[in-house]
Amino acid sequence: MLNVPPPAFPAPSSQQRAAAGGRSKVPLKPGRSLMDWIRLTKSGKDLTGLKGRLIEVTEDELAKHNKREDCWICIRGFVYNVTPYMEYHPGGEDELMKAAGTDGTDLFDQVHRWVNYESMLKECLVGRMAVKPIAAPKEISSTLSEGKKQLNGMLPEKKVLASSAKDLTPSYDWFQTDSLITVVIYTKQKDMNEELVIVDCQDKRLRGEIIMDDYSYLVEVDLDHAVSEEVAVNIAEKIGKVEIILKKKDNIHWKMLGQPWGCHNTFVKRTDRELFYRKCKLVSKTEVTHDTKLFCFMLPKGTHLRIPTGQHVYLKQIITGTEAVKPYTPVLPFLPLDFQETSHHDGVHIYLMIKIYSCGLFTQALDHLQIGDYVSVSNPEGNFKKSQVQASEDLILLAGGTGFTPMVKLLNFALTEVSCLRTAKLIFFNKTEDDILWRNELEQLALKDERFEVQFILSQPTKDWVGKQGKISSSLLSEFVKRSRKDSKVLICICGPTPFTEQGVQYLKNLGYSQEEIHAFTA
Ligand code: FAD
Ligand code: NAP
């Protein structure tokens, strides 16, 4: 096993990352975009220097390749020659060099575990590690590998755990009637809610994931018999019991639930769980502005997925043979003006407001999708917690361009469910008037709800613009970011281009706001 020396991997904590507004990207030289990289990998050029041979790499051998011009990195047991990739890496050469000659799995997972390096670097594959380096287990508990044991209604035998960990570990059971199969998950946690339960049941495969703070519990089996496409999820919130109810296709008695998958019945850190994707159908695409569209995707039948406020999903597409993944933040189908209703999602559709960049790799491919085409959509991620806004009296939202997207659900949640909320203010930075997303809707909301106020600030206005102009700055923020009362509880959320977010956080700190009062949305 390769142990990664801590000083070489200064992994930022989520707080540090939030404060820094996310990991900085370095400007890439012309001709070094992702598309250029894909072209290079398809050019037939020998990118490993091994003329197509794959070798077994020892730890000693790996350690020798630790220079910029000869840099090998091990990721999940596979060794890649990343020297040709250096100039194409959005995080910069220095970032890659931190893992030179070592096992970079942890570093890569901490930074962008959603990027499929196996696909991106497939032409750089040198070979496998002679002894597979496995990162130290991070589970607080997990069951023994169950192999292909049949699940016959009895709880599988568990690894003996320390009693405290054992007490925390969820468990499951299943039972049946003539027509139904019910899988019951005992989470042993109060305040379960439907955002914490993700179920996918397609083609006889059942995957039920329960999110419990930073941990995830998974039930994953190939069902013994076919079930219908409808899946119901019942949650007994107070006792933390989750029922997944499946309809048998044939009314026969099942002898077992099915065959477990490798990660079945495990309880691990969320960051150690591979991101799960399901294929969603594009059902509509509507213009929001000259370059931004609202995409509506439909979840497959048998999926229960609610994306929590402030979290994003990853979309995955194969673009000229290479898997490409980008994060997007779901919004609502429209900006609700009536905050009596608590829910504006039907549980079936996901709405994404996406700006199409004329030279953007991913957004160009998205824009070319036809209604009825499919895109893979991941489980949600993100470190925003609703509890951050639940006690707020003043909510201030600073958005730059599509950095508006996380603010949509956040605003809806605050105005609907935060009873102590006194004011909500959106300060929305855009280049021109034409770039303002949902301008009419925001203005109407401000007229309708006296707690809400919106301020548009343009950095490149035409001379007709009579509103505020400028870029994010200390003076603009000191003018607009204010508490409604001297000691009121405030939450300031900021999202936009990384430098916008970084500068904004710094200005806010200079104005005396504490780290706890600021939330920066970053990758
Ligand atoms: P690329 O091929 O990566 O870039 C091509 C060109 O487009 C660049 O040279 C640049 O000129 C321009 N460009 C690309 N990305 C950016 C950028 N991020 N900022 C400024 N200019 C850029 N975008 C949305 O539209 N809606 C969302 O809801 C959304 N949510 C996000 C959530 C998170 C957590 C993060 C980190 C990003 C989010 N983004 C969102 C941005 C999105 O992930 C992509 O970066 C964006 O769609 C561009 O992808 P692309 O492949 O088309 O562009
Ligand atoms: P944009 O139109 O380019 O810019 C929006 C506003 O931000 C403009 O006023 C612009 O002013 C300003 N701005 C841009 N770069 C700046 C900088 N370096 N310093 C100060 N101000 C700056 O924005 P966009 O194309 O919509 O991009 C939105 C960004 O938000 C993307 O980077 C996206 O990745 C990010 N985003 C993040 C999340 C998340 O959760 N992390 C969610 C959604 C979107 P100028 O005239 O100076 O350009």
Side-chain angles (χ1 to χ4, degrees):
M1 182 160 93
L2 285 180
N3 280 324
V4 175
F9 291 87
S13 70
S14 58
Q15 264 180 351
Q16 283 168 323
R17 274 204 273 167
R23 222 171 49 102
S24 309
K25 285 187 175 184
V26 297
L28 297 174
K29 288 186 201 152
R32 294 292 181 270
S33 70
L34 179 55
M35 199 61 203
D36 295 313
W37 172 250
I38 293 173
R39 272 193 212 109
L40 177 63
T41 61
K42 298 203 178 308
S43 65
K45 200 170 166 195
D46 176 12
L47 297 181
T48 59
L50 294 171
K51 302 193 173 70
R53 256 183 329 127
L54 290 178
I55 59 170
E56 270 212 347
V57 183
T58 61
E59 286 183 31
D60 288 347
E61 184 62 31
L62 176 63
K64 285 182 204 160
H65 301 269
N66 61 355
K67 291 164 213 71
R68 232 165 256 263
E69 58 285 0
D70 175 19
C71 179
W72 290 8
I73 293 177
C74 169
I75 306 170
R76 279 181 265 283
F78 290 95
V79 178
Y80 301 91
N81 173 18
V82 297
T83 295
Y85 180 61
M86 288 276 177
E87 292 192 330
Y88 298 81
H89 181 52
E93 298 189 9
D94 292 347
E95 200 66 27
L96 274 183
M97 283 306 294
K98 287 179 187 162
T102 68
D103 182 359
T105 308
D106 278 357
L107 179 72
F108 279 70
D109 282 352
Q110 277 154 9
V111 177
H112 279 332
R113 77 188 182 91
W114 41 275
V115 173
N116 186 339
Y117 289 100
E118 287 85 348
S119 174
M120 292 261 290
L121 297 176
K122 60 186 177 228
E123 297 305 326
C124 300
L125 183 66
V126 168
R128 266 180 181 275
M129 282 303 292
V131 181
K132 197 179 166 201
I134 303 165
K138 291 179 194 137
E139 300 99 320
I140 58 166
S141 73
S142 83
T143 56
L144 272 179
S145 161
E146 291 168 356
K148 280 279 174 189
K149 186 148 36 108
Q150 293 169 344
L151 305 174
N152 55 9
M154 305 288 289
L155 289 182
E157 256 182 65
K158 293 244 177 117
K159 189 169 160 178
V160 181
L161 300 161
S163 62
S164 57
K166 193 174 175 180
D167 291 342
L168 285 174
T169 309
S171 60
Y172 82 99
D173 200 353
W174 72 280
F175 55 86
Q176 60 185 312
T177 63
D178 283 350
S179 57
L180 301 175
I181 293 288
T182 303
V183 178
V184 189
I185 299 170
Y186 304 98
T187 68
K188 302 178 189 169
Q189 181 180 290
K190 278 185 176 178
D191 299 328
M192 256 299 119
N193 67 58
E194 60 171 11
E195 289 181 349
L196 304 175
V197 180
I198 305 170
V199 177
D200 287 274
C201 184
Q202 280 97 29
D203 304 326
K204 281 180 78 181
R205 178 171 173 196
L206 172 68
R207 186 185 187 282
E209 183 172 354
I210 310 288
I211 308 297
M212 296 165 68
D213 293 325
D214 294 336
Y215 287 84
S216 141
Y217 177 71
L218 187 68
V219 166
E220 194 174 29
V221 292
D222 271 339
L223 295 168
D224 209 43
H225 297 277
V227 291
S228 81
E229 288 180 318
E230 298 133 68
V231 174
V233 174
N234 282 345
I235 301 165
E237 298 189 3
K238 292 284 173 317
I239 54 169
K241 189 172 91 171
V242 176
E243 289 179 339
I244 304 169
I245 302 163
L246 314 171
K247 254 192 201 157
K248 290 179 180 175
K249 263 210 173 133
D250 304 304
N251 289 358
I252 48 170
H253 185 81
W254 290 25
K255 290 210 175 78
M256 65 195 85
L257 181 61
Q259 306 282 354
W261 278 69
C263 293
H264 171 66
N265 199 20
T266 52
F267 186 43
V268 300
K269 274 205 143 189
R270 283 181 77 179
T271 45
D272 293 340
R273 180 85 71 210
E274 217 171 273
L275 261 186
F276 182 79
Y277 289 85
R278 77 275 304 145
K279 288 207 164 127
C280 295
K281 195 201 263 188
L282 178 66
V283 291
S284 69
K285 193 164 59 164
T286 43
E287 264 185 24
V288 178
T289 63
H290 62 105
D291 61 5
T292 302
K293 293 182 180 167
L294 188 66
F295 290 77
C296 175
F297 290 96
M298 191 165 74
L299 290 167
K301 284 199 171 134
T303 291
H304 170 99
L305 172 68
R306 308 282 185 273
I307 292 135
T309 299
Q311 298 207 3
H312 52 267
V313 292
Y314 296 98
L315 298 193
K316 184 164 79 179
Q317 304 180 88
I318 307 291
I319 301 176
T320 54
T322 298
E323 209 172 76
V325 176
K326 289 271 160 107
Y328 294 96
T329 315
V331 295
L332 299 169
F334 52 88
L335 196 64
L337 297 179
D338 176 3
F339 288 102
Q340 302 312 309
E341 251 181 86
T342 52
S343 175
H344 291 275
H345 39 76
D346 53 13
V348 178
H349 296 103
I350 294 180
Y351 293 87
L352 297 168
M353 196 184 269
I354 297 179
K355 173 163 169 177
I356 312 297
Y357 293 92
S358 56
C359 53
L361 177 81
F362 203 87
T363 51
Q364 281 298 322
L366 276 179
D367 199 30
H368 283 90
L369 289 177
Q370 301 295 313
I371 303 300
D373 285 349
Y374 287 84
V375 162
S376 297
V377 178
S378 80
N379 284 358
E381 290 223 323
N383 57 11
F384 181 81
K385 300 221 160 61
K386 272 183 183 170
S387 55
Q388 291 174 253
V389 73
Q390 250 146 359
S392 299
E393 293 166 299
D394 297 322
L395 177 66
I396 297 168
L397 308 172
L398 304 177
T402 56
F404 171 60
T405 51
M407 310 308 182
V408 173
K409 281 192 178 187
L410 189 47
L411 191 56
N412 182 47
F413 173 74
L415 292 173
T416 313
E417 291 184 42
V418 179
S419 53
C420 56
L421 189 84
R422 292 160 55 85
T423 67
K425 188 187 280 183
L426 171 69
I427 304 158
F428 198 176
F429 294 80
N430 283 284
K431 288 187 160 83
T432 70
E433 251 181 298
D434 292 345
D435 297 326
I436 303 175
L437 303 166
W438 279 354
R439 178 178 179 178
N440 282 341
E441 289 85 338
L442 287 164
E443 285 173 340
Q444 279 188 37
L445 180 59
L447 288 176
K448 183 103 198 270
D449 192 318
E450 59 182 22
R451 295 170 298 171
F452 178 65
E453 191 186 318
V454 61
Q455 182 70 52
F456 301 114
I457 302 180
L458 300 183
S459 51
Q460 300 170 29
T462 59
K463 52 181 181 333
D464 312 332
W465 176 248
V466 291
K468 270 278 160 196
Q469 54 178 291
K471 276 170 172 279
I472 193 161
S473 65
S474 259
S475 62
L476 273 178
L477 293 191
S478 61
E479 187 179 342
F480 293 110
V481 179
K482 290 197 176 104
R483 295 174 202 268
S484 62
R485 283 188 310 202
K486 192 166 158 278
D487 291 323
S488 65
K489 282 198 177 150
V490 66
L491 177 69
I492 309 170
C493 296
I494 180 162
C495 186
T498 304
F500 167 94
T501 307
E502 283 175 356
Q503 289 165 30
V505 168
Q506 200 48 55
Y507 296 142
L508 291 168
K509 287 189 176 161
N510 296 345
L511 289 172
Y513 292 96
S514 67
Q515 179 76 55
E516 290 67 43
E517 291 174 321
I518 305 170
H519 181 87
F521 287 94
T522 56

